[in-house]
Amino acid sequence: QPKLNAGVVADEIFEPPKRFVCSESFPAEATVAVRLEPNKASSLVTSLPYGSEVLATAARGTYLQFKLDKGQNTEVQYVWVPRVLDGLVLFVEKSDPVKVEKDAEAAAAVASTEEAILEQQDQIQRFQSWWAEGKGKEAAGLHPMLSLLDAAVLADIIAAGANYHNCLSADRLDALQRHISKANGPGLEALQRALQAKGGAKSQARAVGSVIFKEAMDLFKNPAEMNKSSLATSSESSQLEQSVGKVEQPKLNAGVVADEIFEPPKRFVCSESFPAEATVAVRLEPNKASSLVTSLPYGSEVLATAARGTYLQFKLDKGQNTEVQYVWVPRVLDGLVLFVEKSDPVKVEKDAEAAAAVASTEEAILEQQDQIQRFQSWWAEGKGKEAAGLHPMLSLLDAAVLADIIAAGANYHNCLSADRLDALQRHISKANGPGLEALQRALQAKGGAKSQARAVGSVIFKEAMDLFKNPAEMNKSSLATSSESSQLEQSVGKVEQPKLNAG
């Protein structure tokens, strides 16, 4: 070491030197003291303002050694600056800016997703308890979709979480499909689409379960609004039935009474499940035994004037048949949806994307919920203790604190009190080693104790859950880290210090 630093032995030599920059927690208006030796009692040489960069040649405790620019002081070559001061991280190692930005974005996304999932998990658990207590029964009876379902099936779906295939057997799905195909009314389109899902019984069960679970959970989130909507729907249906009774049917279908009159007419187009090579029969009356008039190929559009059961009535183009005005085509045939109502293309596309995103997010959340519950049980049984002892971050935490964090789920502020956070901050500030950067950043989180507890809890929970997901790989990584640290300590002991720092 330089002569003025005789007696100081570095913990680590940086060869080549490492560049450190001010962290986000470095106060913009502050300066940090540069001293002759790595302690607060040493002589003050100069100070560095916010925005400074340090090309560190060595480290001792929480201090970094660097060569002072001769233009500032020609007598001193090597000086020391604190990297961490009173628990506040002042300098962080500078990496590739693009990589740093990507890592930061990825870390933020992971933290945000983890927090959203854990909060959603807590909400789902409260919803399932609410439903099990029978508090959703009355609202479900007014719901256009849920009112059609058997109460036992509905309860099983809600209790199942993400494992819909365990309660929605092939027989139950077939019975539900037959029942829904006979039903007419608003709010059933999503369930009808889910019942046509491809990929086997398990995929179909997931699609159907997700739709039903989401509708039931909407009751929990806002039961008053849902009740109003359902009552309004019931009132509209009643008014529609009354109006239908007053409308005269087309002459050629004198014996047929429509379930619903479309005034103005509604345009229907072929659904995605309409086979491209097929045609569908157009008949004089809404049943399979009626006379065949013509057939419609894939890609046809129907301007429907009425509906009866699963059939749509429309006025046939006189160019095809001058004797027939009104005919019928099946909208649903043997459980297969052939025609769907055409809406604004932009709105349809956005609605489809939104529905797919909701379904995908819901499924991911429920699957994550199941995984988190298994992880918490696994940890409570003590199966993560050995792996945690080898982990560079988790091994520094008190076992009781770690167990509380894992059991807390999203409610980290209930177990990470201000005293615990302060103690953790003091402990981590004294630790040196890889894998602590994320926790150090979380400990500097702004927004009060609750926000800080969430940030710290999310980081620790994620690291512990990584052990559960792949304990063997994590153990190897931890052992490798331990081995590298040991080798580094040995190599530092063997490295000859610069001549000016003899001793």
Side-chain angles (χ1 to χ4, degrees), residues 154-172:
L154 184 55
D156 287 348
I157 291 170
I158 291 168
N163 304 312
Y164 301 125
H165 57 281
N166 291 339
C167 62
L168 284 175
S169 62
D171 290 339
R172 274 187 166 180

Side-chain angles (χ1 to χ4, degrees), residues 337-499:
V337 178
L338 300 178
F339 291 94
V340 292
E341 187 177 351
K342 183 179 181 180
S343 304
D344 176 14
V346 176
K347 182 177 182 297
V348 168
E349 185 176 354
K350 286 183 177 178
D351 288 348
E353 289 175 356
V358 167
S360 175
T361 303
E362 185 77 20
E363 185 173 347
I365 286 172
L366 292 171
E367 286 183 358
Q368 183 75 357
Q369 173 197 3
D370 180 61
Q371 187 181 49
I372 287 171
Q373 288 173 342
R374 286 186 288 109
F375 159 59
Q376 288 172 321
S377 299
W378 177 82
W379 196 277
E381 293 166 5
K383 295 179 180 177
K385 186 177 180 181
E386 184 179 353
L390 296 171
H391 191 281
M393 179 195 299
L394 303 181
S395 60
L396 301 176
L397 303 176
D398 180 75
V401 175
L402 183 55
D404 287 348
I405 290 171
I406 291 168
N411 303 312
Y412 301 124
H413 57 280
N414 291 340
C415 63
L416 283 175
S417 62
D419 290 339
R420 274 188 166 179
L421 287 170
D422 288 343
L424 183 60
Q425 195 165 42
R426 288 194 299 271
H427 185 55
I428 294 299
S429 67
K430 297 173 184 175
N432 284 309
L436 298 179
E437 294 80 4
L439 183 56
Q440 288 166 340
R441 286 196 299 270
L443 284 164
Q444 304 302 322
K446 299 176 181 178
K450 193 170 181 179
S451 296
Q452 192 180 38
R454 280 187 174 182
V456 171
S458 294
V459 169
I460 294 172
F461 192 98
K462 177 183 176 297
E463 292 294 327
M465 195 162 179
D466 285 342
L467 293 182
F468 170 70
K469 290 177 181 176
N470 196 356
E473 191 65 29
M474 186 59 69
N475 286 349
K476 286 196 300 183
S477 172
S478 301
L479 288 169
T481 301
S482 175
S483 174
E484 288 166 8
S485 300
S486 177
Q487 291 171 9
L488 180 60
E489 288 172 7
Q490 292 169 12
S491 65
V492 169
K494 294 175 183 177
V495 172
E496 185 179 352
Q497 304 296 320
K499 291 181 180 180

Side-chain angles (χ1 to χ4, degrees), residues 12-21 53-58 64-66 93-94 488:
E12 188 176 359
I13 299 293
F14 299 141
E15 186 56 46
K18 291 183 179 180
R19 189 171 297 278
F20 286 76
V21 295
E53 292 192 5
V54 171
L55 190 63
T57 54
L64 298 171
Q65 182 197 63
F66 68 100
E93 187 177 350
K94 184 179 182 181
L488 180 60

Side-chain angles (χ1 to χ4, degrees), residues 262-288:
F262 299 141
E263 186 58 48
K266 292 183 178 180
R267 189 170 298 277
F268 286 76
V269 295
C270 291
S271 71
E272 293 181 357
S273 53
F274 192 125
E277 68 284 354
T279 59
V280 59
V282 176
R283 300 185 182 275
L284 198 58
E285 295 183 2
N287 60 73
K288 291 183 180 179

